[in-house]
Amino acid sequence: MDIESWGHQNPIKKESWRTVLALAYQSLGVVYGDLSTSPLYVYKSTFAEDIQHSESNDEIFGVLSFVFWTLTLIPLLKYVFIVLRADDNGEGGTFALYSLLCRYARVSTLPNGQLADEDLYEYKSDRNLSADRIGMSLKSTLEKHRFLKKILLVLALIGTCMVIGDGVLTPAISVFSAVSGLELSMAKHHHQYVEVPVACVILVFLFFLQHYGTHRLGFLFAPIVITWLLCISAIGVYNIIHWNPHVYQALSPYYMYKFLKKTQKGGWMSLGGILLCITGSEAMFADLGHFSQLSIKIAFTFVVYPSLILAYMGQAAYLSKHHIIESDYHIGFYVSVPEKLRYPVLAIAILAAVVGSQAIITGTFSIIKQCSALGCFPRVKIVHTSSKIHGQIYIPEINWTLMVLCLAVTIGFRDTKHISNASGLAVITVMLVTTCFMSLVIVLCWHRSVLFAICFIFFFGSIEALYFSASLIKFLEGAWVPVVLSFIFLAVMYSWHYGTLKKYEFDVENKIPINWLLTLSPNLGITRVRGIGLIHTELVTGIPAIFSHFVTTLPAFHQVLVFLCIKSVPVPHVRPEERFLVGRVGPKEYRVYRCIARYGYRDIHMDDVEFEKDLVCSIAEFIRSEGRGLSFEAIEDIDESERLTVIGTTSTHIDGIKMCEDNGELTHVDTEMIEIRSPEVPRKRVRFVVPESPQMDLSVREELQELTEAREAGMAFILGHCYVRAKRGSSLIKKLVINIGYDFLRRNCRAPTYALSFPRASTLEVGMIYHV
């Protein structure tokens, strides 16, 4: 699998039309399943108790008008035409918007950010536009006030938590609503014993399928969704023609006014049911990394939107001629289906409901990966299920957590009324957060006028605030579920982020100055041993405290010492040619280097063998470039004694150094080649192949020879194993967060990817207690 080829140079949006249409086809099964199944429960939830269907048809026509304009304004106008354009280099979701803002204004809470990161290709893209005076004023205000930065972070975390909550509730309501069609074929006292077990079995099957990956599920699920959309649109056309051809008149906004005037408070409270018609709209944006902007737009505009409008119009046409329905099912979806077609439609609906849950589950995986990469979620196992589309992932821990919570909600509530109230609040909260972030993106990233941003947030924010109030009023009737779930996940995420931040601040405050390294000499009993010592640290400058602790305990370190920092930057991808920042720590003869490996929040970390080879090659290339005095890109660091050079991975070294490792005789190479033979028989032989160039300086040759010998001797990995404790005098809340919350998460989350890939026999952990 060519991991490095998944970067910016191979984006999906530049693929051929054939690829775009194939992705649009897949997106029907992954992105739009949830939105497509909303006709199963919208009318039933709306007329559950707050309003009644009367002979005048004012209620049903009013609801149809609300559904039509809500679908038109929110998914079509807001998301398809505006929000999807705010992608973060092909990635979408709440955290992608936050990352975009962090790039254009320095509001990021990532502790180890550098000015050098702003020179990354994706960091600089589209920043050549100049903001107006008000935009610059807004930017400086956000950058100055730490409180505002925290507000933005909390907003992003709330949006993320509500997406996770929606990942619990959407599968429950989709599957439950589909299974409720069995009610028409059996007595009610039998139905209540069948509905919940069947729904639970289907949900378990759905979550079990997740490990096969989005790519396989997309091709498997897309035919089901297409069949479902054809089915509901055909039934809609039939009902319109057969029962009420004039139902199109209800699309007029005048019927919304009549509806609210007649129903008043009951009509306002029923908006929580109408809101469900846009459930799954956020998935269009959250799942953007799995597909492409154009493919998602095509699928919605030409397939999903017209099918849904026809389906809702058909249901309204049928109900406008049927006011007394002799069934406990009242005015649900299935009563509008011709009787001979009910069982086939029921089977398709159950399959479509399973597919409908896929969109939000996929979106949940995406947003949690983003949070984890940016230090706002505990580390989890991330499985990449496609070698072609970098965004298609599976997270086992989250998958099974969602399944358990989803089953608990289904068994606990046992009806669609309470689950729909809960789902509605989660959906509209995410949309409100997106609206708030989009208004800032319009000003800070797009450099449009503040008036446009105000109009955006006022127009869409007013609509969403109306639905939010209608959902919040039903807090005790099920809407408390997403609030509780969000509070739990928010506590987890903020505790992890706070603990990570405090740990880094401790590292910065206790880092060792360069002068301390210069005092180390053989006279003090310090010896240098063969090999490369790789010391992992979060610091981008200075010497970490664990190194002094290590040398004090064991007065020896390797002949080549590398301080390695693996950091995430607020961009989706870092191009391979910009992967490493390499510099020298202390005098040249000390053979101490600093290497910073940068990854975007969508990047995949290389495996240990390739990473080691790239790391050594990047140091060798730095030595050669420094010796030849090339005009490479150098970055002045905060510490004036260090200069960092941008070095790419081995695959980008077209005219640079290549490293070869083998156990046999070296073959002839038609370039200048440095061959090192160790005095002892090495486990493997290492050589650097250098392009033809002017005579190499003797000191550079010696340094490369020493690096080669060290590589042959082996590489040792020194990791800090820290125990974080709140220092004396800390507040009770800080002690609870650090000593209990963060410590519990640290002990139970997965180790960093790089730590898992290091050979255990070559790894040394240095324990320290951090009092923060």
Side-chain angles (χ1 to χ4, degrees), residues 584-601:
R584 192 183 297 278
V585 180
K588 189 174 184 179
E589 60 270 15
Y590 274 61
R591 307 294 191 250
V592 181
Y593 309 94
R594 181 181 309 283
C595 185
I596 301 172
R598 301 179 292 182
Y599 289 90
Y601 58 79

PDB file of all heavy atoms in Angstrom, residues 584-601:
ATOM      1  N   ARG A 584      20.436  20.626  13.899  1.00  0.00           N
ATOM      2  CA  ARG A 584      21.541  20.152  14.727  1.00  0.00           C
ATOM      3  C   ARG A 584      21.401  20.759  16.118  1.00  0.00           C
ATOM      4  O   ARG A 584      21.076  21.944  16.274  1.00  0.00           O
ATOM      5  CB  ARG A 584      22.866  20.564  14.092  1.00  0.00           C
ATOM      6  CG  ARG A 584      24.082  19.874  14.704  1.00  0.00           C
ATOM      7  CD  ARG A 584      25.358  20.408  14.060  1.00  0.00           C
ATOM      8  NE  ARG A 584      25.414  20.114  12.627  1.00  0.00           N
ATOM      9  CZ  ARG A 584      25.805  18.954  12.132  1.00  0.00           C
ATOM     10  NH1 ARG A 584      26.133  17.964  12.949  1.00  0.00           N
ATOM     11  NH2 ARG A 584      25.855  18.764  10.826  1.00  0.00           N
ATOM     12  N   VAL A 585      21.642  19.954  17.142  1.00  0.00           N
ATOM     13  CA  VAL A 585      21.602  20.418  18.530  1.00  0.00           C
ATOM     14  C   VAL A 585      23.034  20.420  19.058  1.00  0.00           C
ATOM     15  O   VAL A 585      23.668  19.360  19.146  1.00  0.00           O
ATOM     16  CB  VAL A 585      20.718  19.509  19.408  1.00  0.00           C
ATOM     17  CG1 VAL A 585      20.692  20.020  20.842  1.00  0.00           C
ATOM     18  CG2 VAL A 585      19.314  19.434  18.845  1.00  0.00           C
ATOM     19  N   GLY A 586      23.546  21.593  19.396  1.00  0.00           N
ATOM     20  CA  GLY A 586      24.913  21.684  19.909  1.00  0.00           C
ATOM     21  C   GLY A 586      25.940  21.676  18.793  1.00  0.00           C
ATOM     22  O   GLY A 586      25.617  21.727  17.597  1.00  0.00           O
ATOM     23  N   PRO A 587      27.213  21.581  19.157  1.00  0.00           N
ATOM     24  CA  PRO A 587      28.298  21.600  18.152  1.00  0.00           C
ATOM     25  C   PRO A 587      28.227  20.388  17.228  1.00  0.00           C
ATOM     26  O   PRO A 587      27.650  19.356  17.563  1.00  0.00           O
ATOM     27  CB  PRO A 587      29.575  21.559  19.018  1.00  0.00           C
ATOM     28  CG  PRO A 587      29.154  22.016  20.369  1.00  0.00           C
ATOM     29  CD  PRO A 587      27.736  21.580  20.529  1.00  0.00           C
ATOM     30  N   LYS A 588      28.867  20.526  16.068  1.00  0.00           N
ATOM     31  CA  LYS A 588      28.816  19.485  15.053  1.00  0.00           C
ATOM     32  C   LYS A 588      29.423  18.174  15.531  1.00  0.00           C
ATOM     33  O   LYS A 588      28.920  17.092  15.232  1.00  0.00           O
ATOM     34  CB  LYS A 588      29.547  19.992  13.808  1.00  0.00           C
ATOM     35  CG  LYS A 588      29.414  19.108  12.583  1.00  0.00           C
ATOM     36  CD  LYS A 588      30.044  19.785  11.372  1.00  0.00           C
ATOM     37  CE  LYS A 588      29.826  18.946  10.120  1.00  0.00           C
ATOM     38  NZ  LYS A 588      30.407  19.595   8.925  1.00  0.00           N
ATOM     39  N   GLU A 589      30.493  18.265  16.319  1.00  0.00           N
ATOM     40  CA  GLU A 589      31.189  17.048  16.738  1.00  0.00           C
ATOM     41  C   GLU A 589      30.394  16.232  17.759  1.00  0.00           C
ATOM     42  O   GLU A 589      30.735  15.084  18.030  1.00  0.00           O
ATOM     43  CB  GLU A 589      32.567  17.406  17.312  1.00  0.00           C
ATOM     44  CG  GLU A 589      32.535  18.328  18.514  1.00  0.00           C
ATOM     45  CD  GLU A 589      32.591  19.801  18.110  1.00  0.00           C
ATOM     46  OE1 GLU A 589      32.368  20.080  16.906  1.00  0.00           O
ATOM     47  OE2 GLU A 589      32.854  20.634  18.981  1.00  0.00           O
ATOM     48  N   TYR A 590      29.326  16.803  18.312  1.00  0.00           N
ATOM     49  CA  TYR A 590      28.527  16.061  19.294  1.00  0.00           C
ATOM     50  C   TYR A 590      27.608  15.037  18.624  1.00  0.00           C
ATOM     51  O   TYR A 590      27.133  14.119  19.277  1.00  0.00           O
ATOM     52  CB  TYR A 590      27.702  17.030  20.148  1.00  0.00           C
ATOM     53  CG  TYR A 590      28.442  17.569  21.336  1.00  0.00           C
ATOM     54  CD1 TYR A 590      29.614  18.318  21.168  1.00  0.00           C
ATOM     55  CD2 TYR A 590      27.998  17.347  22.620  1.00  0.00           C
ATOM     56  CE1 TYR A 590      30.301  18.823  22.251  1.00  0.00           C
ATOM     57  CE2 TYR A 590      28.672  17.845  23.718  1.00  0.00           C
ATOM     58  CZ  TYR A 590      29.828  18.591  23.531  1.00  0.00           C
ATOM     59  OH  TYR A 590      30.521  19.074  24.609  1.00  0.00           O
ATOM     60  N   ARG A 591      27.326  15.208  17.343  1.00  0.00           N
ATOM     61  CA  ARG A 591      26.458  14.284  16.590  1.00  0.00           C
ATOM     62  C   ARG A 591      25.083  14.146  17.241  1.00  0.00           C
ATOM     63  O   ARG A 591      24.560  13.057  17.448  1.00  0.00           O
ATOM     64  CB  ARG A 591      27.099  12.906  16.460  1.00  0.00           C
ATOM     65  CG  ARG A 591      28.511  12.888  15.887  1.00  0.00           C
ATOM     66  CD  ARG A 591      28.522  13.349  14.440  1.00  0.00           C
ATOM     67  NE  ARG A 591      29.807  13.095  13.813  1.00  0.00           N
ATOM     68  CZ  ARG A 591      30.680  14.052  13.473  1.00  0.00           C
ATOM     69  NH1 ARG A 591      30.384  15.325  13.705  1.00  0.00           N
ATOM     70  NH2 ARG A 591      31.821  13.740  12.884  1.00  0.00           N
ATOM     71  N   VAL A 592      24.517  15.304  17.595  1.00  0.00           N
ATOM     72  CA  VAL A 592      23.175  15.335  18.189  1.00  0.00           C
ATOM     73  C   VAL A 592      22.271  16.117  17.244  1.00  0.00           C
ATOM     74  O   VAL A 592      22.608  17.239  16.839  1.00  0.00           O
ATOM     75  CB  VAL A 592      23.183  15.983  19.587  1.00  0.00           C
ATOM     76  CG1 VAL A 592      21.772  15.981  20.183  1.00  0.00           C
ATOM     77  CG2 VAL A 592      24.141  15.247  20.511  1.00  0.00           C
ATOM     78  N   TYR A 593      21.143  15.511  16.902  1.00  0.00           N
ATOM     79  CA  TYR A 593      20.245  16.114  15.917  1.00  0.00           C
ATOM     80  C   TYR A 593      18.829  16.210  16.482  1.00  0.00           C
ATOM     81  O   TYR A 593      18.454  15.492  17.415  1.00  0.00           O
ATOM     82  CB  TYR A 593      20.208  15.275  14.627  1.00  0.00           C
ATOM     83  CG  TYR A 593      21.567  14.953  14.074  1.00  0.00           C
ATOM     84  CD1 TYR A 593      22.201  13.752  14.408  1.00  0.00           C
ATOM     85  CD2 TYR A 593      22.217  15.838  13.220  1.00  0.00           C
ATOM     86  CE1 TYR A 593      23.446  13.440  13.899  1.00  0.00           C
ATOM     87  CE2 TYR A 593      23.476  15.526  12.713  1.00  0.00           C
ATOM     88  CZ  TYR A 593      24.086  14.332  13.057  1.00  0.00           C
ATOM     89  OH  TYR A 593      25.319  14.036  12.557  1.00  0.00           O
ATOM     90  N   ARG A 594      18.070  17.097  15.875  1.00  0.00           N
ATOM     91  CA  ARG A 594      16.627  17.170  16.168  1.00  0.00           C
ATOM     92  C   ARG A 594      15.867  16.882  14.882  1.00  0.00           C
ATOM     93  O   ARG A 594      16.197  17.423  13.821  1.00  0.00           O
ATOM     94  CB  ARG A 594      16.225  18.549  16.686  1.00  0.00           C
ATOM     95  CG  ARG A 594      14.732  18.630  17.026  1.00  0.00           C
ATOM     96  CD  ARG A 594      14.316  20.008  17.530  1.00  0.00           C
ATOM     97  NE  ARG A 594      15.172  20.468  18.592  1.00  0.00           N
ATOM     98  CZ  ARG A 594      15.105  20.041  19.853  1.00  0.00           C
ATOM     99  NH1 ARG A 594      14.190  19.128  20.180  1.00  0.00           N
ATOM    100  NH2 ARG A 594      15.919  20.508  20.758  1.00  0.00           N
ATOM    101  N   CYS A 595      14.865  16.017  14.973  1.00  0.00           N
ATOM    102  CA  CYS A 595      14.040  15.687  13.809  1.00  0.00           C
ATOM    103  C   CYS A 595      12.571  15.788  14.210  1.00  0.00           C
ATOM    104  O   CYS A 595      12.140  15.144  15.179  1.00  0.00           O
ATOM    105  CB  CYS A 595      14.365  14.283  13.307  1.00  0.00           C
ATOM    106  SG  CYS A 595      13.477  13.860  11.793  1.00  0.00           S
ATOM    107  N   ILE A 596      11.830  16.603  13.495  1.00  0.00           N
ATOM    108  CA  ILE A 596      10.397  16.776  13.746  1.00  0.00           C
ATOM    109  C   ILE A 596       9.631  16.192  12.563  1.00  0.00           C
ATOM    110  O   ILE A 596       9.776  16.667  11.431  1.00  0.00           O
ATOM    111  CB  ILE A 596      10.048  18.267  13.934  1.00  0.00           C
ATOM    112  CG1 ILE A 596      10.831  18.851  15.113  1.00  0.00           C
ATOM    113  CG2 ILE A 596       8.550  18.444  14.145  1.00  0.00           C
ATOM    114  CD1 ILE A 596      10.692  20.358  15.254  1.00  0.00           C
ATOM    115  N   ALA A 597       8.875  15.140  12.821  1.00  0.00           N
ATOM    116  CA  ALA A 597       8.053  14.510  11.779  1.00  0.00           C
ATOM    117  C   ALA A 597       6.643  15.057  11.884  1.00  0.00           C
ATOM    118  O   ALA A 597       6.001  14.944  12.936  1.00  0.00           O
ATOM    119  CB  ALA A 597       8.049  13.002  11.946  1.00  0.00           C
ATOM    120  N   ARG A 598       6.153  15.643  10.815  1.00  0.00           N
ATOM    121  CA  ARG A 598       4.841  16.320  10.836  1.00  0.00           C
ATOM    122  C   ARG A 598       3.800  15.516  10.053  1.00  0.00           C
ATOM    123  O   ARG A 598       4.067  15.071   8.942  1.00  0.00           O
ATOM    124  CB  ARG A 598       4.987  17.727  10.251  1.00  0.00           C
ATOM    125  CG  ARG A 598       5.981  18.579  11.000  1.00  0.00           C
ATOM    126  CD  ARG A 598       6.125  19.959  10.405  1.00  0.00           C
ATOM    127  NE  ARG A 598       6.757  19.933   9.087  1.00  0.00           N
ATOM    128  CZ  ARG A 598       7.026  21.022   8.384  1.00  0.00           C
ATOM    129  NH1 ARG A 598       6.730  22.208   8.858  1.00  0.00           N
ATOM    130  NH2 ARG A 598       7.606  20.925   7.199  1.00  0.00           N
ATOM    131  N   TYR A 599       2.639  15.360  10.665  1.00  0.00           N
ATOM    132  CA  TYR A 599       1.538  14.627  10.042  1.00  0.00           C
ATOM    133  C   TYR A 599       0.257  15.456  10.143  1.00  0.00           C
ATOM    134  O   TYR A 599       0.013  16.135  11.146  1.00  0.00           O
ATOM    135  CB  TYR A 599       1.306  13.275  10.742  1.00  0.00           C
ATOM    136  CG  TYR A 599       2.394  12.258  10.492  1.00  0.00           C
ATOM    137  CD1 TYR A 599       3.501  12.176  11.323  1.00  0.00           C
ATOM    138  CD2 TYR A 599       2.319  11.384   9.413  1.00  0.00           C
ATOM    139  CE1 TYR A 599       4.508  11.248  11.093  1.00  0.00           C
ATOM    140  CE2 TYR A 599       3.322  10.452   9.180  1.00  0.00           C
ATOM    141  CZ  TYR A 599       4.402  10.389  10.015  1.00  0.00           C
ATOM    142  OH  TYR A 599       5.390   9.474   9.776  1.00  0.00           O
ATOM    143  N   GLY A 600      -0.561  15.379   9.091  1.00  0.00           N
ATOM    144  CA  GLY A 600      -1.883  15.982   9.147  1.00  0.00           C
ATOM    145  C   GLY A 600      -2.846  15.075   9.887  1.00  0.00           C
ATOM    146  O   GLY A 600      -2.558  13.895  10.132  1.00  0.00           O
ATOM    147  N   TYR A 601      -4.031  15.607  10.230  1.00  0.00           N
ATOM    148  CA  TYR A 601      -4.969  14.803  11.013  1.00  0.00           C
ATOM    149  C   TYR A 601      -5.630  13.693  10.195  1.00  0.00           C
ATOM    150  O   TYR A 601      -6.331  12.851  10.741  1.00  0.00           O
ATOM    151  CB  TYR A 601      -6.036  15.687  11.676  1.00  0.00           C
ATOM    152  CG  TYR A 601      -6.871  16.537  10.747  1.00  0.00           C
ATOM    153  CD1 TYR A 601      -7.922  15.993  10.027  1.00  0.00           C
ATOM    154  CD2 TYR A 601      -6.641  17.900  10.621  1.00  0.00           C
ATOM    155  CE1 TYR A 601      -8.698  16.769   9.191  1.00  0.00           C
ATOM    156  CE2 TYR A 601      -7.413  18.694   9.796  1.00  0.00           C
ATOM    157  CZ  TYR A 601      -8.447  18.125   9.083  1.00  0.00           C
ATOM    158  OH  TYR A 601      -9.222  18.900   8.260  1.00  0.00           O
TER     159      TYR A 601
END
